[in-house]
Amino acid sequence: MKNVLRILMVFFAVSVVTATGWAQSTTGALTGTVTTEGKGLPGVTVTADSPSQQGSKTAITGDNGAYLFPALAPGRYTVSFDLEGLQKVTKTATVTLAGTVRADADLKVSAVAEAITVTAAAPSVLETSQVSTHLDAKLIESLPVGRTIAQRIQLAPGVTNSGPNNQSIINGAPSFSNLYLVNGVVINDSIRGQPENLFIEDSIQETTLLTAGVSAEYGRFTGGVVSSITKSGGNQFTGSLRDNLTNDHWTKLTDFRDPVTGAAQVPNGDQLNSSYEGTLGGFILKDHLWFFGAGRSAKTSSTASTVQTNIPFQQVSDNKRYEGKLTGQITQKHSIVASYLHNNTDQINNTFGNVVDLRSLTNRSLPNWLEVGHYSGVFTQNLLLEAQYSRRYFAFVGGGGPQGDLINGTLLRDNNTSRRLWSPTFCACDPKTRNNKDYLGKATYFLSTPSFGSHSIIGGYDSFHENRHENNFQSGSNFRLWGDFVYDGQNVYFHADPVNGFLTSNPLAQLSQTSDIATNSFFINDKWDLNNRFSFNVGARYDKHDAKDQTKNPVANDSLISPRVGVIYDLTGNGRTRVSANYGRYVAAIDSGVADSVSIAGNPGSIYFNYRGPEINAFDRKTGKLLGPPVPTDQVIKMVFDWFNSVGGVTGYTNIDSIFIPGLTEEIIKGGLTSPSMDEFTGGIGQQLGANGYIKGDYIHRNWHDWYTIQRDISTGQNTAANGSKVDLGIIQNNDSGLKREYNGIQLQGALRVLERFNLGGNYTWSTLKGNVEAETFNNATVFVGNNEYPEYKKFAQNQPEGYLNEDIRHRANAWVQYDLAMPYGRLNIGLLETYHTGEPFSAVGTIDVRQNSTTLPTGVVNPGYATAPSNVPYYFAKRGGFRLDDITATNLTASYSLPISVVNFFFRGDLLNAFNEQGVENNATGVGSVVETRVYTARNAQCIQTAAGPTPGARCLRFNPFTETPKLGVHYIFDPNFGKATRSTAYQLPRTYRFTVGVRF
């Protein structure tokens, strides 16, 4: 035991001494065993050659005949096995990103003439218990799929785009809990967790998705790991130039009809958009210094329209990206890689949420870049050290309303729909930055023993920091008004309602001092091949969190250990049929948004003042028509503020509905936050099909723990605001009580090459995602869950019932075929992709007032002493996830023709998406918010009128006590007349769409 501990300490020490870090996921591994007459053969020289690497790599087999190349550039390799007196064997193997491929050899006594055998290695997805999918550039180019990272991974099993804003859900995890890497650099946005577009599509060499049984080398996620690597130069000059052509006019219109006005989708514009991409790679010094560069320029214009008013406008995005990479070999055993990638986007007429007028549009810039330096060195035959430092920068520049302008900078919101009017959301103030930096170190040691097999042992240290500098002004004036929007064609008037209206102040007490959400980790992992039947993956990761918010106050100081254990059993002993099982715990990083939620610096408060001033722009709720001459919006805003200031303004008016002040209304629990985690169990079986195919099935079970919650009850106490008002104090903490999110899935995937011309592939996923934790919405990356806030008002069954969560997709399948045809002049490639998934679920949720009222709810909740008891709480009027959108199918085609002329290859490609123009409602919510009507009206809403089922038809709906009564449709609640119908064309799947590409390669 002492020797084991010493070995671990040496690995950790070596990793720290290397000072910086390891480039996770930029390489793959090649391993195998050399035998003769069935016994392991030591001393064999194994040589790996590939255009993807500089020079040859050599290894010597150990006591049991095993060898390992731990850090190879992904690509196709020729592997030769040579020992004097025995026949030399040569094999081919394709090393995949973040994967392990096996190439075994059996050497026989040499004949007079040397014999060479050339065979292919088994697919890497069968080599480990890890559940993974590899998507190389050739596959992506031959299928009609999107070329961004988020679009690529939709080809993989276990992945859906059913998250908020069509974000990727991997095996049931919230969309913000995936880890995205490009060249080993984390490209997740610091708040929403989504991948930044830090890539040039034509430069991506390969993308690997790890979805289960993931090695302890990877941390800070509970979903999946998505790793991409860009191309490098080589000993030959290669390059490409392409123009990707799109046009809104090439997309058919949906069948959408506005459920209120009956208006069809606004016609698409007819403007040709070009996206230019270019790459160039080669050598400066052959086998010593390679270069690769790439660039992308795209100025696109697309037609959009405002909500309900249907005012068309053009959204313009001007995007420029460039990349530079150097790969150098200092000596035969030491190499370095340095790369830089820059991405800047200027946006015109950007929207946030559902806007109803053109004044709510805004312009902004989004500068974004990453830089990384990586070193690797072989110090002994069996010891490899790697080191890396990286940085990523992202900012919002501009956008938002006019700073400080009370009239033009005040945002207007609709009480019923939350739509937006008059001024852009946020403020055109100082830039907001969301950055990260990473220091990593790794040591790989290969140990080959005659009795206990071979061990590939990895130890490492990882220091990751997320930094946020964000003064989050909510509008130009830091005020919002809530009332009713009254529509008259394309004109919208604001109804200042003295009964249900609000005036919201969003003060920012202090400017940001930049947060530091740090995770320092040690990891060790042993890939242990015991014999030709059993292999194991055994590891653990230790994560230490030290988080400081934008005020520099500590908000987390915890640590967790996450074990990972996997086993593979080879049923036949020849590597063709394998069963596997895994257990793992995965620990997320401290969420940046939650960590900053009580920060005085950079974080806005919100005080909802009840508006009790004059009614302005009164209207008939049945007809939706104004009852008098319209008052212009600028005058409405002035009148509201004149009244507000006359009753004391922010410091003097005390009729407050609710208050949130950072550090006043909520506090982080003493001792700080704990990291959310997930436990996973998997079982699988894989079968190699001939020399060119495989099929694999996996079962995956996941449970999540330690959600972010708020406890706000009588025991947590109260604080006093600056104006003397009492506020109820909430404690932010991690909690499992009464909370559940559980994923069960069966995944099948396979591929087969037939007759060297046909490639067949596909996957199928059956899954359920159940519980009562959604954890995110379209405009909030992470939301607090549970009903421990004001529990006296919320602890009833239908407040937080268990059921199918919004991201539950029961069945999902992808199937594709590729056909390569050599022609007299050039080559034709045809690809067909058929996709299918069942509809997304949604729920019927309304809000009710459960406070006691002597006349309407005499048996309601008596305020036990809260400063501001909640006036509304959610109520599920049917089973959670009890409604479904349409099942979605699509047939997608691509045809690519290439014509070589000398060293240049000209190509033309055409894609036809959704060839049969199927029209299904696919999306419940997009970047503009809900696009399917799901509102349920209760006694709180003027729209709720009793039907014939009620005691007083035509009168307002009745209140009910959720603790003792079951509400009745038409008495206590009604569905919106358009419940379940699309409210915007973006609710539909993509209609039939054409797109084209022309270019050259050499």
Side-chain angles (χ1 to χ4, degrees):
M1 184 65 183
K2 289 183 178 179
N3 290 335
V4 173
L5 291 175
R6 286 176 181 172
I7 291 173
L8 297 180
M9 293 174 66
V10 168
F11 285 147
F12 288 143
V14 168
S15 300
V16 173
V17 168
T18 59
T20 52
W22 170 57
Q24 287 182 345
S25 305
T26 61
T27 59
L30 173 64
T31 189
T33 302
V34 183
T35 57
T36 184
E37 297 181 352
K39 297 180 180 180
L41 185 61
V44 177
T45 299
V46 185
T47 304
D49 286 293
S50 173
S52 300
Q53 70 171 4
Q54 294 172 333
S56 299
K57 302 288 186 184
T58 59
I60 307 297
T61 58
D63 291 341
N64 66 346
Y67 71 93
L68 172 71
F69 294 101
L72 295 181
R76 189 169 179 83
Y77 282 76
T78 299
V79 188
S80 60
F81 306 86
D82 194 12
L83 182 65
E84 186 176 355
L86 297 179
Q87 180 187 54
K88 183 178 180 180
V89 173
T90 299
K91 287 198 169 189
T92 59
T94 300
V95 174
T96 57
L97 177 62
T100 299
V101 65
R102 172 174 290 273
D104 297 328
D106 185 55
L107 272 59
K108 303 182 185 303
V109 176
S110 178
V112 176
E114 182 182 64
I116 298 177
T117 304
V118 179
T119 59
S124 64
V125 295
L126 303 181
E127 177 57 31
T128 70
S129 59
Q130 190 167 253
V131 182
S132 63
T133 302
H134 303 287
L135 306 166
D136 61 21
K138 183 178 180 181
L139 175 65
I140 298 301
E141 283 295 325
S142 62
L143 291 177
V145 297
R147 300 167 65 237
T148 70
I149 291 174
Q151 291 169 329
R152 289 169 189 242
I153 64 175
Q154 294 301 316
L155 272 180
V159 182
T160 71
N161 63 345
S162 57
N165 310 326
N166 303 118
Q167 293 159 194
S168 297
I169 302 293
I170 300 177
N171 285 351
S175 68
F176 57 75
S177 198
N178 301 316
L179 181 65
Y180 294 92
L181 305 163
V182 169
N183 292 339
V185 182
V186 176
I187 61 168
N188 294 65
D189 172 74
S190 301
I191 301 300
R192 298 185 180 274
Q194 298 310 295
E196 303 289 357
N197 290 328
L198 280 166
F199 53 82
I200 297 164
E201 289 88 337
D202 217 27
S203 73
I204 298 177
Q205 178 178 328
E206 184 176 345
T207 297
T208 291
L209 173 63
L210 310 177
T211 57
V214 182
S215 164
E217 300 169 51
Y218 301 91
R220 305 188 306 276
F221 73 97
T222 66
V225 179
V226 182
S227 180
S228 298
I229 186 173
T230 61
K231 299 173 183 177
S232 300
N235 285 334
Q236 293 183 343
F237 291 98
T238 60
S240 64
L241 182 65
R242 65 189 292 160
D243 183 6
N244 306 293
L245 300 168
T246 60
N247 190 326
D248 281 354
H249 195 63
W250 298 343
T251 297
K252 297 282 288 185
L253 298 181
T254 67
D255 289 343
F256 171 73
R257 289 293 185 274
D258 189 287
V260 176
T261 65
Q265 178 184 348
V266 174
N268 293 328
D270 187 2
Q271 180 172 335
L272 186 65
N273 296 313
S274 288
S275 174
Y276 301 101
E277 297 175 46
T279 68
L280 179 63
F283 64 89
I284 299 174
L285 296 173
K286 274 192 175 181
D287 286 329
H288 290 285
L289 184 60
W290 295 350
F291 75 89
F292 177 80
R296 180 184 190 273
S297 177
K299 187 172 184 179
T300 60
S301 178
S302 59
T303 303
S305 63
T306 57
V307 179
Q308 189 157 333
T309 50
N310 289 317
I311 306 172
F313 60 92
Q314 292 297 115
Q315 289 187 310
V316 179
S317 176
D318 188 0
N319 178 247
K320 291 181 173 59
R321 309 179 198 177
Y322 54 87
E323 176 187 6
K325 178 189 274 189
L326 289 174
T327 304
Q329 185 165 277
I330 305 171
T331 70
Q332 189 175 1
K333 295 184 177 181
H334 300 271
S335 61
I336 57 173
V337 178
S339 65
Y340 177 82
L341 200 151
H342 190 93
N343 175 8
N344 186 81
T345 304
D346 294 323
Q347 296 177 333
I348 298 175
N349 289 338
N350 178 67
T351 63
F352 185 89
N354 283 318
V355 303
V356 299
D357 68 335
L358 300 183
R359 285 181 59 103
S360 299
L361 307 179
T362 187
N363 303 332
R364 66 181 185 179
S365 295
L366 307 173
N368 197 0
W369 52 259
L370 67 79
E371 59 186 15
V372 56
H374 170 248
Y375 159 81
S376 65
V378 178
F379 285 83
T380 71
Q381 178 63 39
N382 295 329
L383 178 63
L384 172 75
L385 299 181
E386 297 177 81
Q388 178 172 295
Y389 169 73
S390 67
R391 286 197 303 165
R392 182 189 65 80
Y393 174 89
F394 174 77
F396 297 95
V397 180
Q403 184 173 1
D405 191 317
L406 196 63
I407 301 299
N408 295 298
T410 295
L411 174 64
L412 307 183
R413 303 291 302 275
D414 182 74
N415 270 332
N416 291 313
T417 63
S418 296
R419 291 170 180 170
R420 298 161 191 261
L421 172 69
W422 186 253
S423 183
T425 305
F426 308 124
C427 176
C429 304
D430 58 325
K432 304 174 183 179
T433 62
R434 302 174 182 177
N435 310 326
N436 71 50
K437 58 183 177 181
D438 200 5
Y439 308 82
L440 299 110
K442 175 187 173 185
T444 302
Y445 185 76
F446 183 65
L447 177 65
S448 177
T449 68
S451 301
F452 293 97
S454 59
H455 300 259
S456 175
I457 304 172
I458 298 170
Y461 170 72
D462 181 354
S463 180
F464 180 76
H465 299 257
E466 276 192 333
N467 305 117
R468 180 186 183 194
H469 186 97
E470 190 162 346
N471 294 312
N472 195 13
F473 298 100
Q474 293 295 287
S475 65
S477 67
N478 265 359
F479 284 98
R480 298 183 177 195
L481 303 185
W482 293 78
D484 299 296
F485 291 0
V486 183
Y487 299 92
D488 181 13
Q490 293 187 340
N491 296 315
V492 186
Y493 302 101
F494 184 76
H495 170 232
D497 185 359
V499 177
N500 293 313
F502 299 96
L503 186 149
T504 307
S505 172
N506 299 114
L508 202 67
Q510 183 178 318
L511 298 182
S512 173
Q513 299 180 39
T514 308
S515 66
D516 185 10
I517 313 300
T519 304
N520 295 291
S521 308
F522 290 97
F523 61 84
I524 189 164
N525 201 87
D526 180 10
K527 187 181 182 303
W528 173 21
D529 293 323
L530 177 61
N531 51 43
N532 67 337
R533 296 276 187 173
F534 277 104
S535 61
F536 303 89
N537 185 78
V538 182
R541 185 179 182 94
Y542 171 81
D543 292 304
K544 178 70 171 63
H545 299 101
D546 181 14
K548 294 180 175 61
D549 64 18
Q550 292 189 84
T551 319
K552 293 299 185 185
N553 290 328
V555 292
N557 185 19
D558 82 310
S559 60
L560 287 170
I561 295 176
S562 49
R564 317 279 174 86
V565 181
V567 59
I568 294 180
Y569 179 70
D570 191 330
L571 294 177
T572 58
N574 60 9
R576 301 190 67 83
T577 306
R578 307 182 187 191
V579 295
S580 62
N582 294 284
Y583 164 73
R585 169 162 287 192
Y586 304 85
V587 178
I590 297 294
D591 186 270
S592 181
V594 176
D596 263 331
S597 60
V598 300
S599 170
I600 298 173
N603 195 26
S606 60
I607 307 173
Y608 282 78
F609 296 97
N610 288 304
Y611 176 70
R612 297 298 179 260
E615 184 172 17
I616 311 171
N617 284 330
F619 71 107
D620 186 316
R621 291 188 179 274
K622 291 183 178 180
T623 64
K625 302 296 184 180
L626 289 174
L627 297 177
V631 180
T633 302
D634 58 344
Q635 294 183 34
V636 175
I637 296 173
K638 182 179 184 302
M639 293 168 67
V640 169
F641 278 107
D642 285 345
W643 167 84
F644 183 60
N645 291 327
S646 73
V647 295
V650 172
T651 58
Y653 183 50
T654 58
N655 191 350
I656 295 174
D657 181 79
S658 64
I659 298 179
F660 166 74
I661 301 294
L664 179 72
T665 51
E666 292 168 2
E667 295 178 358
I668 300 289
I669 191 172
K670 187 177 181 180
L673 298 169
T674 300
S675 303
S677 63
M678 178 269 291
D679 287 327
E680 174 187 83
F681 297 88
T682 76
I685 183 169
Q687 173 69 50
Q688 187 173 346
L689 303 176
N692 298 304
Y694 75 94
I695 186 170
K696 190 173 189 292
D698 293 283
Y699 166 72
I700 299 169
H701 170 81
R702 288 179 158 190
N703 265 306
W704 284 261
H705 312 283
D706 293 323
W707 298 101
Y708 295 111
T709 68
I710 297 179
Q711 179 183 349
R712 196 189 312 268
D713 54 32
I714 294 301
S715 70
T716 58
Q718 297 179 347
N719 284 331
T720 303
N723 64 358
S725 300
K726 292 289 185 178
V727 295
D728 301 308
L729 177 63
I731 305 299
I732 299 174
Q733 56 190 313
N734 300 87
N735 199 345
D736 278 349
S737 178
L739 301 175
K740 179 181 178 181
R741 187 180 179 103
E742 180 179 276
Y743 175 86
N744 287 283
I746 296 175
Q747 300 174 8
L748 303 175
Q749 60 176 312
L752 181 66
R753 186 170 182 85
V754 182
L755 301 176
E756 299 299 319
R757 289 187 178 184
F758 282 98
N759 281 314
L760 307 176
N763 51 69
Y764 165 75
T765 303
W766 173 92
S767 65
T768 62
L769 182 63
K770 290 184 174 181
N772 54 11
V773 175
E774 297 291 356
E776 56 184 336
T777 63
F778 89 95
N779 61 344
N780 289 289
T782 306
V783 297
F784 297 109
V785 300
N787 51 14
N788 290 322
E789 286 191 272
Y790 304 105
E792 296 86 353
Y793 296 83
K794 296 183 179 182
K795 290 286 188 178
F796 53 84
Q798 291 302 107
N799 177 254
Q800 192 173 278
E802 292 184 10
Y804 293 113
L805 301 178
N806 290 341
E807 300 85 7
D808 175 75
I809 300 293
R810 191 59 37 77
H811 304 278
R812 183 173 181 273
N814 297 305
W816 61 84
V817 58
Q818 304 160 244
Y819 179 66
D820 291 308
L821 176 64
M823 304 179 70
Y825 299 97
R827 178 175 291 273
L828 177 67
N829 176 275
I830 299 173
L832 167 66
L833 172 64
E834 188 73 20
T835 63
Y836 165 78
H837 70 78
T838 49
E840 294 181 10
F842 63 97
S843 302
V845 186
T847 58
I848 60 175
D849 188 348
V850 301
R851 297 174 297 179
Q852 186 183 60
N853 182 290
S854 59
T855 57
T856 58
L857 193 61
T859 60
V861 177
V862 177
N863 189 339
Y866 292 114
T868 52
S871 61
N872 63 87
V873 296
Y875 187 97
Y876 281 74
F877 288 91
K879 292 181 179 180
R880 181 190 284 269
F883 303 87
R884 293 269 173 176
L885 301 181
D886 297 332
D887 292 352
I888 301 297
T889 58
T891 300
N892 309 285
L893 299 166
T894 188
S896 181
Y897 174 74
S898 59
L899 177 65
I901 299 178
S902 185
V903 296
V904 177
N905 198 339
F906 293 88
F907 68 91
F908 171 83
R909 169 177 171 155
D911 289 343
L912 174 58
L913 309 180
N914 193 1
F916 299 109
N917 195 32
E918 299 182 68
Q919 297 272 328
V921 176
E922 182 175 20
N923 307 305
N924 187 21
T926 64
V928 297
S930 176
V931 292
V932 171
E933 183 59 77
T934 60
R935 285 180 292 175
V936 179
Y937 302 123
T938 68
R940 294 188 67 255
N941 310 108
Q943 298 95 325
C944 192
I945 304 299
Q946 294 181 48
T947 66
T952 313
R956 191 81 166 256
C957 290
L958 301 178
R959 294 176 67 186
F960 66 97
N961 189 327
F963 297 93
T964 60
E965 295 180 81
T966 299
K968 296 179 180 179
L969 180 64
V971 179
H972 303 105
Y973 71 97
I974 63 170
F975 293 102
D976 187 281
N978 298 300
F979 186 85
K981 296 181 180 179
T983 60
R984 300 201 72 175
S985 61
T986 51
Y988 284 78
Q989 70 183 109
L990 180 71
R992 182 188 296 131
T993 298
Y994 298 90
R995 61 190 185 197
F996 302 95
T997 300
V998 294
V1000 296
R1001 298 189 182 100
F1002 63 88

